[in-house]
Amino acid sequence: MLTPLIQFQNVTKEFVNGDVVTPAVHGVTFSIEKGEFISIMGPSGSGKSTLMHIMGFLDVLTSGTYLFGGKDVSRLSEDELALMRRKEVGFIFQTFNLLAKSTVLDNVMLPMVYSGIPKAERVHRAKSALEEVGLSHRLFHFSNQLSGGERQRVAIARAFINEPAVVFADEPTGNLDTKSGTIILQKLQEMNEQGHTIVMVTHEEEAAHYGKRVLRVRDGEILSDTTNGQQHRGDYHK
């Protein structure tokens, strides 16, 4: 039996501010297999983003165990977490997080700079990735010259450029109109069909159904974990 890519075992997260302790996640247990497209859905404050931050090595759990590829990563140091982020995961954010004064090509090449990949190969791979998302004609534009949908496609190209084990998409359609949102969700679906593992956080029902599996979260607990019989292929509506 294959080892799950991600395993949470009785994971708890509390935020401490002085004497005030705010519980965010309560004893959560679940696993994600390699190649899955899972949507984590819930209202604001439900704990879904906290779960993603722990899975993506942006935050640490308070108690419980987190196994990544069978390795216990629950108590990694800051430096070890940074190394895992660089090597194992990609991120797509609602606010795109692109460098406004850098070209589209440079934005996509950025993760490879930290991986020590030679410049010629960085350029070749970034151009190929941008062609994959339909932006070959925008290579030398600055990110602030693009539409929201185009910026999110740049973010997708950047997230997948280092062939990470998993890509986390945090409300990737949150700042987009319906047409652009549909394009982004269909692109994520295509990447999953090519074998990529994707974990998407969303509060939108239509967006969630692009995943093969939906994890519903409320008040820091998992309410349900269901498999979609048929992936959504229609238009996404806000």
Side-chain angles (χ1 to χ4, degrees), residues 79 81-89 111 114-115 162 164:
D79 288 345
L81 287 172
L83 183 61
M84 292 292 286
R85 281 197 301 272
R86 190 161 70 240
K87 289 178 59 179
E88 302 290 357
V89 302
Y114 301 113
S115 299
N162 274 340

Side-chain angles (χ1 to χ4, degrees), residues 64-100:
T65 303
Y66 174 19
L67 303 177
F68 188 90
K71 175 184 177 183
D72 189 347
V73 295
S74 306
R75 303 288 181 265
L76 293 183
S77 68
E78 283 292 328
D79 288 345
E80 289 168 330
L81 287 172
L83 183 61
M84 292 292 286
R85 281 197 301 272
R86 190 161 70 240
K87 289 178 59 179
E88 302 290 357
V89 302
F91 291 99
I92 302 165
F93 296 101
Q94 178 178 346
T95 52
F96 319 126
N97 286 15
L98 301 178
L99 300 176

Side-chain angles (χ1 to χ4, degrees), residues 150-166:
E150 287 174 327
R151 277 183 277 177
Q152 197 60 296
R153 280 188 277 159
V154 174
I156 287 174
R158 182 185 60 186
F160 286 98
I161 197 68
N162 274 340
E163 293 290 324
V166 56

Side-chain angles (χ1 to χ4, degrees), residues 62-228:
T62 301
S63 65
T65 303
Y66 174 19
L67 303 177
F68 188 90
K71 175 184 177 183
D72 189 347
V73 295
S74 306
R75 303 288 181 265
L76 293 183
S77 68
E78 283 292 328
D79 288 345
E80 289 168 330
L81 287 172
L83 183 61
M84 292 292 286
R85 281 197 301 272
R86 190 161 70 240
K87 289 178 59 179
E88 302 290 357
V89 302
F91 291 99
I92 302 165
F93 296 101
Q94 178 178 346
T95 52
F96 319 126
N97 286 15
L98 301 178
L99 300 176
K101 295 182 179 179
S102 294
T103 65
V104 165
L105 187 65
D106 284 338
N107 267 283
V108 176
M109 287 197 297
L110 188 61
M112 293 185 285
V113 172
Y114 301 113
S115 299
I117 296 169
K119 185 174 182 180
E121 185 180 347
R122 294 202 303 267
V123 171
H124 173 72
R125 285 171 56 176
K127 284 182 175 179
S128 295
L130 286 163
E131 182 177 0
E132 178 80 11
V133 296
L135 289 176
S136 294
H137 61 300
R138 296 291 205 188
L139 297 181
F140 302 108
H141 286 71
F142 293 105
S143 62
N144 58 7
Q145 296 175 307
L146 307 183
S147 69
E150 287 174 327
R151 277 183 277 177
Q152 197 60 296
R153 280 188 277 159
V154 174
I156 287 174
R158 182 185 60 186
F160 286 98
I161 197 68
N162 274 340
E163 293 290 324
V166 56
V167 166
F168 296 99
D170 190 5
E171 301 280 5
T173 59
N175 283 339
L176 303 179
D177 58 57
T178 297
K179 181 179 178 182
S180 298
T182 298
I183 291 170
I184 294 307
L185 291 165
Q186 289 174 343
K187 179 52 65 177
L188 290 175
Q189 204 170 58
E190 286 175 24
M191 300 305 284
N192 175 246
E193 288 168 355
Q194 293 172 18
H196 296 283
T197 307
I198 298 170
V199 177
M200 178 174 69
V201 165
T202 183
H203 68 276
E204 298 170 348
E205 192 78 41
E206 285 285 332
H209 283 285
Y210 276 78
K212 293 176 181 175
R213 180 177 158 208
V214 181
L215 205 67
R216 296 180 187 274
V217 180
R218 183 180 291 273
D219 297 328
E221 298 180 341
I222 295 175
L223 293 183
S224 65
D225 184 351
T226 58
T227 300
N228 285 333

Side-chain angles (χ1 to χ4, degrees), residues 21-35:
V21 178
T22 305
V25 175
H26 309 280
V28 167
T29 296
F30 67 91
S31 63
I32 298 173
E33 306 293 334
K34 186 178 185 299

